[in-house]
Amino acid sequence: MISGILDNFKNKLSRGDAVYGPFMKSLDGSFVECTGHAGFDFAILDMEHGPASFSETQELIRAAILANLLPIVRTHDASESAISKALDLGAGGVQVPQIQSADEAHAVVRAARYFPQGERGVCRFVRAANYSSTPRNEYFAKANRALVIPQVEGKKGLEALDEILSVEGLDILFIGPYDLSQSLGVPGDVSNPVVINAIKDITERAKKRGVVTGVFADTIEAAARWKNAGIQYLSYSVDVGIYTEACKNILLSIKN
Ligand code: 3PY
Ligand code: MG
């Protein structure tokens, strides 16, 4: 069933459409289901900054698929095990933080893809292979369709951007404005012109090389700005932040 969700997602990107999804830190699959039923395209299950274990993440992946939502796992780091375990659980893609060089981007592709594109550790007794029910050849071909999404979010990554963009096998280049803002000397100030110009520059350079870009936005204004700049993978805010804001707005409306 994830194949159909992944196909729709890839079709949207290749038509030039934008896709939308939040980061998610809640451990309750109900929130993931709500996200899908509300019409988002994907959810980024956050193992870098969220509390979820691999077994909790597996449940969240199941919930996403039930609600027609593409589950992407943001791994806690760029290690081979963090990447391959997330894919073994059945994630539709991995988003890998703090990629700073072409070598690191190559290593991500190697860890995420089976031969001939990579050398992901082989086990078909995992959820992604229906625990061995999926015929072998079918599984390995299908598994190599999972999305590989490196995050560039620091000065070093910026300096190596053209080399990173030329690495074979990257589906989306994701820009992390918060880490980028820190790296550019304005921590947290994601609407500082220094950060905005850096994101615009990355987007333009990626476009020239035909690489789809993604970004995080935590205001509607920022999401609209990046959509208009041609960024297609729009990660809008975080489940807990969306809920907090909704609570505040409800109280404001009731009290006034
Ligand atoms: C960042 O902004 O640094 C991210 O990783 C996405 O929120
Ligand atoms: Mg970051």
Side-chain angles (χ1 to χ4, degrees), residues 96-214:
V96 183
Q98 291 291 358
I99 296 303
Q100 301 187 333
S101 67
D103 281 351
E104 287 181 6
H106 269 301
V108 168
V109 175
R110 258 199 319 276
R113 296 257 158 81
Y114 292 118
F115 183 84
Q117 292 104 308
E119 44 196 49
R120 173 174 160 193
V122 176
C123 179
R124 55 182 203 98
F125 300 89
V126 292
R127 191 178 169 282
N130 288 334
Y131 309 101
S132 73
S133 283
T134 305
R136 291 158 211 254
N137 295 343
E138 198 181 305
Y139 171 57
F140 292 111
K142 259 192 193 161
N144 271 0
R145 301 194 67 241
L147 300 167
V148 175
I149 310 173
Q151 294 192 179
V152 167
E153 46 189 347
K155 254 189 182 163
K156 280 194 185 160
L158 275 185
E159 281 158 18
L161 185 69
D162 288 320
E163 292 94 78
I164 293 173
L165 286 169
S166 65
V167 169
E168 282 269 326
L170 308 182
D171 294 290
I172 297 167
L173 183 99
F174 186 87
I175 307 156
Y178 276 95
D179 277 303
L180 193 59
S181 69
Q182 171 166 263
S183 180
L184 295 173
V186 288
D189 188 3
V190 291
S191 48
N192 189 296
V194 178
V195 180
I196 294 197
N197 289 337
I199 296 175
K200 282 186 178 158
D201 179 48
I202 298 172
T203 309
E204 286 308 311
R205 282 155 74 187
K207 230 186 250 171
K208 279 190 192 134
R209 291 177 176 264
V211 177
V212 171
T213 47

